[in-house]
Amino acid sequence: MEAYLRYFTPTPDQILGLVAVLVVSAGFVAIGGLAGGRRRLHETDVIVGWSAASLLFVLAGAFTTLPFRWVAALLAAAAVLAAICVLVRDRFNPPGDLLRSALLALPAIWLASCMVISQWDEFTQWIPNARYIFTFDTFPGEGKPPTFSVFPAYPHGLAYVIYLSSRIAGHLVENASGVFNILLLAMLGMMIGRIIRSAITRRDPDRKVPLGLSAIQPENLGWVYCALGGLAVTALNPTFVPKIVFTGYADTATAVLVGMMCILIWMLLNRLSGDDAEFSVSHIAWRLGFVVMALVAVKQVNLVLFLIALVAAGMCAVRDPAVRLAEFARALLPAVGMSVLMYALWRYHIQINGVAGEFVFAPASEWFVDDIGTIASRMALIASKKGGYFGLMLIATGLALRALWRTRTPLDRLSLIVGGLFVGYTAFLLFAYVTAFSRGEALRAASYWRYNMHLGGGAVAFAAFAAALLWRQWITTRLRRNIGWIAIVAMLAVPLAVAGKIRFDIRPAKTYVRATAEEIVKIVPAGARVSILDLGGNGSFGVIARYVISSHTTIAGELTAAGAPSRENIAKFLGSQKPAYVWVHYPTPAARDALGAALPDGSSHLLRLAEGRWQVVRSWAYPGYTNPYELPD
């Protein structure tokens, strides 16, 4: 029981960080609420506010020398004024479904607030990017302090959330992205609940084509549909992977934004075809614009996702006799313009500030054209092991092919959008493996499953709408009260039941390395050159130490098992890097010989070079294990 309670026991700093993230999110909702009328898609309010904040940060970083704290102050003032205006305009009637969705997600939000960062990319790029702008109040660039991020030129969409939360909390809120991810999923769940209700409670039940949408809807979704949508994007979501969702990775935010993008494009097509009249064309179009602007601000590749979705939607408009292509094209102008604006501004910032470090395509002469078949086979093998998601996408693709022949219904349109996006993105990933990855990464189709998580929101939208149509056609046009209670209880109980699996950050070796690195910072003089010897693994522990130590010292290289750490190679490494201190995570005979020091097993050791000899400064015993590389990740 004590271990279980530990999963849900935050530190005082984590509680303050949670409050800060919630305040920032509320500010986004206020700004987004002001940008829409009383009758709006409330679940997109937080995206609109976040997107506007991202635009303001990029404008400030690219065109001014203003410290980001002024941007934060401006956003705070705007949020307060927006909240007052929205409350008065809406007659002090807050959006009930937003509160319901947030309360249903509260156990998961609380759990995320108790976690610490623990994954490779969190330590190498996502959190270092946020730490930099929090520390220096600006983007990295020429003539500015060095950055320790591997990809400082990656878009900073989530970093702004961390920055703003950290300004409120007074310290770097490292886990802000994980908390914000859950809030984003709750908003997508609300939108999924909306389309489930639209399928089940549509108007004209005697209509011969049982796929229409137009329903006379109450203003609020209510607890049942919010809970069903929440379950759809979490427990029932085939791409819901805790090691991605509860982290600082941008994949979950991408999945949410892609899901909203697909639904909004679909709603736009339905509205133009006369199948849906709940929201105006202009309202959907501008909300779509803010969603795709946030999408481009989050991850480098995301503009490609939007372009593929546009192609799929264009095919849908061409094949649907009820949709006028010219009218649809005009409706897409805000989204196209806003996405291009965000992309162009970020590229301008990178160029004007001389920022290097992003994912780039290799010269054509270095492409792995001869390996296309091998790479495609590897992608297919990975897909065969994830049957739930890929099976669902194959169904969507099959229905999309049918829709190309005859597009008539909302299901046809949604299938064509989601299925087309899946086919297009798969082709793009194959192209990227051939043209941008290293040969080793390409041949194993590195992270292919994780990249497919980007389409998770679209996959869930398709599955939820199709399942709701089947429910209406074969079971009933209403949801029974007991089913509603099951959904609500499940939404609240699942995080409590699987907390042990979600708290993957509690791993003895990772906790040990983080704590040890923080002790090293207290021992080593500021600016001293420190090398990291993580000799028995792939460097996963070394990146944790590097993240902590780099804020105080100068990292003089890292040596891992990939560097063939023999006595000679260790000596050569030390001779080239010339560190004043060395931290040996796992002592090996080769390390003892190269350093000329007694390094007992079962401990890591910090050594200092003094009078030409390496001397042990301090040792830290492993907490209950002898080999950190034999522990489960």
Side-chain angles (χ1 to χ4, degrees), residues 51 120 305 387 463 472 515 525 529:
S51 187
W120 186 296
L305 288 166
R472 175 182 176 83
R529 292 179 61 81

Side-chain angles (χ1 to χ4, degrees), residues 585-632:
H585 179 213
Y586 182 72
T588 63
R592 295 186 184 96
D593 291 344
L595 295 166
L599 304 176
D601 291 332
S603 299
S604 69
H605 310 274
L606 177 67
L607 295 90
R608 178 182 59 195
L609 185 62
E611 299 179 356
R613 296 182 57 190
W614 289 102
Q615 301 175 356
V616 176
V617 177
R618 185 171 172 183
S619 299
W620 292 268
Y622 299 147
Y625 57 85
T626 57
N627 188 336
Y629 307 108
E630 294 178 349
L631 298 176

Side-chain angles (χ1 to χ4, degrees), residues 34-60:
L34 185 62
R38 291 185 62 191
R39 185 172 180 78
R40 64 185 186 277
L41 286 158
H42 292 285
E43 57 267 40
T44 60
D45 284 351
V46 68
I47 308 298
V48 173
W50 178 29
S51 187
S54 299
L55 179 62
L56 194 58
F57 273 106
V58 178
L59 286 171

Side-chain angles (χ1 to χ4, degrees), residues 188-346:
L188 177 61
M190 183 175 160
M191 186 171 275
I192 297 294
R194 185 182 299 279
I195 68 174
I196 292 173
R197 185 186 67 177
S198 71
I200 293 178
T201 64
R202 64 181 177 81
R203 186 193 298 167
D204 190 11
D206 296 325
R207 187 176 179 180
K208 291 183 179 180
V209 181
L211 299 176
L213 278 177
S214 299
I216 301 175
Q217 306 289 12
E219 185 173 348
N220 290 319
L221 292 173
W223 287 101
V224 173
Y225 286 108
C226 286
L228 286 174
L231 283 177
V233 299
T234 54
L236 302 179
N237 181 357
T239 64
F240 185 89
V241 178
K243 280 194 175 182
I244 300 298
V245 174
F246 290 86
T247 69
Y249 284 30
D251 302 283
T252 298
T254 295
V256 168
L257 293 168
V258 166
M260 288 189 170
M261 174 187 70
C262 290
I263 295 171
L264 289 168
I265 292 174
W266 175 65
M267 291 175 68
L268 198 59
L269 287 166
N270 291 331
R271 182 68 176 83
L272 292 173
S273 71
D275 272 317
D276 186 13
E278 188 173 359
F279 298 99
S280 69
V281 169
S282 62
H283 178 74
I284 299 171
W286 281 103
R287 291 279 148 160
L288 175 62
F290 281 107
V291 166
V292 296
M293 190 161 69
L295 184 67
V296 174
V298 164
K299 206 165 171 45
Q300 184 182 8
V301 73
N302 287 355
L303 181 62
V304 173
L305 288 166
F306 176 51
L307 295 177
I308 296 172
L310 281 185
V311 173
M315 294 169 64
C316 185
V318 169
R319 298 302 300 157
D320 193 334
V323 177
R324 296 175 58 188
L325 182 59
E327 190 176 3
F328 179 59
R330 285 195 299 270
L332 288 175
L333 288 178
V336 173
M338 294 167 79
S339 63
V340 170
L341 175 64
M342 179 60 77
Y343 182 80
L345 286 174
W346 185 254

